[in-house]
Amino acid sequence: MQPLNGVRIIEFDGLGPVTFAGMMLADLGAEVVRLTRDASAGPAVFDEVGGAVLHRGRAFVPVDLKSANDRERILHLVDEADVVIEGFRPGVMERLGYGPEVLQARKPGLVFGRVTGWGQTGPLANAVGHDLNYIGLSGVLHAMGEADRPPSPPLNLVGDYGGGAMLLVVGVLAALVEARTTGQGRVVDAAMTDGAALLGGLFQALRGQGMWSERRGANLLDGGAPFYRCYACRDGGFVAVAALEPRFYAALLAGLEIAPAEAVQYDIAAWPALQARLAALFAGRDRNDWSAHFAETEACVTPVLSLAEAPEHPHNQARATFQDGLPRPAPLFDGKAVERGPKSALTLDQMVTKWSHRAG
């Protein structure tokens, strides 16, 4: 038995957060079907982006959302589903005839999850944008990067996946628990601006207490602290140093042969000089040499691995974090990963028959 065994989810195919959310829900054991764009509806702008991971574990069914014939069969699937997730701009699902009012009128207990950049309401709700735009509005992007450079894009992890997909998954699961009790579904409005702002809540709280500067690269967790940042090594590799607690900081100084009196941890005025000193030391040896040097200590110094290197690290191998070079489902349940099913192609008729059979 998998955690979401028996839960049936319809994913209206898209890019970014809805795809990641569909992957997560399938990884957790739900039976998810992706309704993809049929060739008769014209070519998609993007096709199979990251599909080896993002599309795993669920069937995909080509459909034409504007076709009356397909509509009837899609609604049959809705009747057998517990959750619908979609990532279109506000109003698109309503114009297609698949909005939450229509679908929940057929099935009141249906959870309808929606993820967008700006949210379903507000003056920007219908504006275009991408991850970088959404996190820019949240205040989080401004805090990232070096002091003398523009803010640095944190891949699309903060908006698309953290603030969007993961908040959608949390909302869907919460609404699903409630629906099992009350018989009434919810409409989940996951906005990447909201989610990114929430992820940045700690820093807003610290700013309100006067403990966080708006200046990048001048704070405890943004690279300003010499004991919490990355350093370049002789061979072009990098190490991550995260010696926040005094005990760990003492271990860092001991490993670098620096006397504690020469490097008082929270003497902020001395941080730039200490950072330069540590940079010179780390530049004198190769990355793996430093990794071995600090391996048995509490200095919190670890190598920064590339995407290619990460699957080969002994810790990741011991936990089987990667399978065939790709990340496996997470988290573990009772020490085991959820077994994901194969990605398969079905016709709409086959999917309707399959779910009708299960219902019987």
Side-chain angles (χ1 to χ4, degrees), residues 173-357:
L173 294 180
L176 191 58
V177 170
E178 182 188 40
R180 293 287 173 90
T181 303
T182 66
Q184 186 63 47
R186 294 266 195 172
V187 178
V188 179
D189 174 7
M192 287 178 247
T193 49
D194 296 346
L198 181 62
L199 293 174
L202 167 65
F203 308 103
Q204 287 283 19
L206 291 174
R207 185 187 63 82
Q209 296 173 304
M211 299 173 62
W212 191 271
S213 167
E214 294 276 32
R215 190 162 57 89
R216 285 186 298 283
N219 299 285
L220 182 63
L221 300 176
D222 66 355
F227 48 85
Y228 195 87
R229 60 175 291 118
C230 295
Y231 289 97
C233 302
R234 181 174 59 190
D235 59 354
F238 302 90
V239 290
V241 177
L244 286 171
E245 289 81 358
R247 189 177 84 192
F248 303 157
Y249 181 66
L252 172 66
L253 295 184
L256 295 174
E257 299 182 349
I258 297 176
E262 298 175 7
V264 178
Q265 185 170 14
Y266 285 98
D267 182 1
I268 297 177
W271 277 4
L274 180 58
Q275 180 180 312
R277 184 176 180 182
L278 266 58
L281 287 171
F282 281 112
R285 294 165 69 171
D286 292 349
R287 183 196 69 179
N288 290 347
D289 189 10
W290 282 119
S291 180
H293 177 75
F294 282 106
E296 302 299 324
T297 76
E298 292 185 326
C300 300
V301 177
T302 53
V304 176
L305 302 179
S306 69
L307 293 175
E309 291 175 310
E312 305 302 320
H313 191 274
H315 183 78
N316 292 334
Q317 290 189 338
R319 289 183 58 82
T321 301
F322 295 86
Q323 296 174 351
D324 299 323
L326 299 174
R328 61 148 167 80
L332 301 181
F333 293 88
D334 300 322
K336 297 180 180 179
V338 172
E339 293 292 331
R340 60 181 184 267
K343 182 174 70 173
S344 57
L346 296 174
T347 67
L348 190 49
D349 284 335
Q350 288 172 327
M351 197 68 223
V352 170
T353 300
K354 181 181 180 184
W355 275 15
S356 297
H357 176 72

Side-chain angles (χ1 to χ4, degrees), residues 69-84:
N69 289 333
D70 282 7
R71 173 181 170 79
E72 181 180 353
R73 288 173 291 177
I74 290 170
L75 292 177
H76 278 303
L77 288 180
V78 171
D79 292 340
E80 306 300 337
D82 301 293
V83 179
V84 165

Side-chain angles (χ1 to χ4, degrees), residues 117-118 124 130-144 151-154 158-159 192-193 196-197 204:
W118 309 112
L124 291 176
H130 285 293
D131 180 288
L132 200 62
N133 304 118
Y134 311 138
I135 67 173
L137 204 73
S138 74
V140 174
L141 179 60
H142 185 273
M144 298 179 179
S152 181
V158 177
M192 287 178 247
T193 49
Q204 287 283 19

